[in-house]
Amino acid sequence: MYIVELTAIDTFINQYQLRETKVKMGDEPVNVKEYQELAKQALPKMYYDYFAGGSEDQHTLRENIDAFQRIIIRPRILVDVSKIDMSTTILGYKTSSPIMIAPTAMHKLAHPEGEILTAKAAAACNVIMGLSFMSTCTIEEVASSCNAVRFFQIYVYKRREISTLMLKRAEANGFKAILLTVDTPKLGRREADIKNKMIAPQLKNFEGFVSTEVDDSEGSNLEAFASRIFDPSFSWKDIAWLKSITKLPIMIKGVLTREDAIKAVEIGVEGIIVSNHGARQLDYVPATISVLEEVVAAVQGRVPVLFDGGIRRGTDVFKALALGAHAVMIGRPVVYGLAAKGEYGVRRVIEMLKDELELTMALAGCPTLNDITRNHVTTQIDNHHCRL
């Protein structure tokens, strides 16, 4: 991830401006997939591969998307859908739809203005934004850029005082919740980054505390950096420490099993995010949509369950809600929109998914989110039970 000379960043900015002009000349995208194609055109290969890639064989990366195609919608007819209401609350904060921006790292690799533009788009669309611990804009810059409701994602470092400082800065700047990522004791093996000898800029949030400059002579320096700073000893017992240093609600991000969901509720977290880190950590774990019901059943409504991984269509959002998610997070689509068309691109990605969800709800006979039920979808498990 990590240190790049200023001349390299300036070169990227100049290249971005030229590519952005070329992208604007093309046809307006009509879906998220087309934004991904534009992002591929706009970004240097190293940065596109960083955002788009997964770990090892990328089996889970493909499954995160493909698994949605095996879920079938069961629409109901002759329902009054003249008015569709997609509004909801997440941890008590109102949002225009059950779509939230996931915390993803280093947005300045997608656009020179980075997370500031993402936050402005979130505010314009009235959705909640998750800001990454590894953002390229500072906590303060993002907070002062707009009035969007913001949650802050953290990792726990070996030097706990750094995580504590970042958390306190988030609190002081009006962030409303903590998203604790728990699936990264070590960094997954991302082979595209190794081949590309992935590098990225120094992260401003950590200036004076952590240098991201490490030896990358054998490939990407991501793994070396993570090994140096991430705390592989962080465990369930340490959640009490985290709760002791913040008054903000904590959601755990990275849950894939009923056992961990039950444990998370028992230790008192305020929410669970079903996530496999965008298939960037352990390969051959399940697609998140395939384990969502298992987690929801284990939680039994005691805390909200959010969903992260593979959302590319409004129908995907609908399917996740039908299987019990309170809301969904979108990560890569936001980055693709940012890379292709800046703040406008992020807004359009969010608006596309909202528009597609609204249409899906109407055609499925669901005027409100509460009307979306398990009976509105059929999964492979259902088909298996029918055959039995």
Side-chain angles (χ1 to χ4, degrees), residues 50-115:
Y50 168 74
F51 287 124
S55 62
E56 296 188 352
D57 297 329
Q58 302 191 123
H59 169 81
T60 299
L61 181 68
R62 293 185 294 273
E63 271 294 288
N64 268 358
I65 295 175
D66 292 348
F68 275 103
Q69 299 177 18
R70 297 190 289 271
I71 300 172
I72 304 303
I73 296 173
R74 302 178 68 245
R76 302 299 302 273
I77 60 172
L78 296 177
V79 177
D80 181 357
V81 290
S82 56
K83 294 181 180 180
I84 301 293
D85 183 6
M86 297 185 294
S87 64
T88 187
T89 60
I90 301 175
L91 295 182
Y93 295 99
K94 294 181 180 179
T95 178
S96 64
S97 77
I99 299 171
M100 175 179 164
I101 295 179
T104 51
M106 300 187 292
H107 285 199
K108 280 191 176 182
L109 299 188
H111 188 285
E113 296 182 65
E115 290 85 359

Side-chain angles (χ1 to χ4, degrees), residues 179-253:
L179 310 176
L180 173 64
T181 296
V182 294
D183 57 8
T184 316
K186 294 181 179 293
L187 201 69
R189 182 176 173 82
R190 304 165 190 178
E191 295 178 358
D193 292 342
I194 294 171
K195 289 181 178 180
N196 291 332
K197 294 185 179 292
M198 171 64 191
I199 54 176
Q202 175 76 28
L203 302 176
K204 292 172 65 178
N205 272 322
F206 303 117
E207 286 180 353
F209 299 97
V210 176
S211 172
T212 53
E213 185 173 12
V214 295
D215 179 20
D216 62 347
S217 59
E218 296 183 3
S220 166
N221 56 12
L222 292 169
E223 185 175 356
F225 174 78
S227 297
R228 193 180 73 193
I229 64 170
F230 287 177
D231 186 358
S233 74
F234 187 73
S235 62
W236 289 109
K237 62 181 175 59
D238 297 308
I239 303 296
W241 163 77
L242 187 63
K243 290 172 70 71
S244 74
I245 62 171
T246 182
K247 295 180 181 179
L248 295 179
I250 298 171
M251 305 188 81
I252 285 188
K253 180 176 181 287

Side-chain angles (χ1 to χ4, degrees), residues 272 274 289 292-297 299 301 303-307 317-328 372-374 377:
I272 289 173
V274 178
I289 194 64
L292 174 59
E293 266 198 297
E294 175 184 330
V295 173
V296 169
V299 169
V303 298
V305 176
L306 272 60
F307 173 85
V317 180
F318 183 92
K319 292 170 184 180
L321 298 177
L323 293 174
H326 182 74
V328 305
I372 303 173
T373 70
R374 181 61 175 82
V377 293

Side-chain angles (χ1 to χ4, degrees), residues 236 252 255-269 271-272 274 293-303 305:
W236 289 109
I252 285 188
V255 175
L256 293 174
T257 66
R258 66 178 300 275
E259 293 88 349
D260 284 342
I262 292 170
K263 185 73 173 178
V265 172
E266 289 175 347
I267 64 171
V269 302
I272 289 173
V274 178
E293 266 198 297
E294 175 184 330
V295 173
V296 169
V299 169
Q300 296 181 339
R302 288 173 286 181
V303 298
V305 176

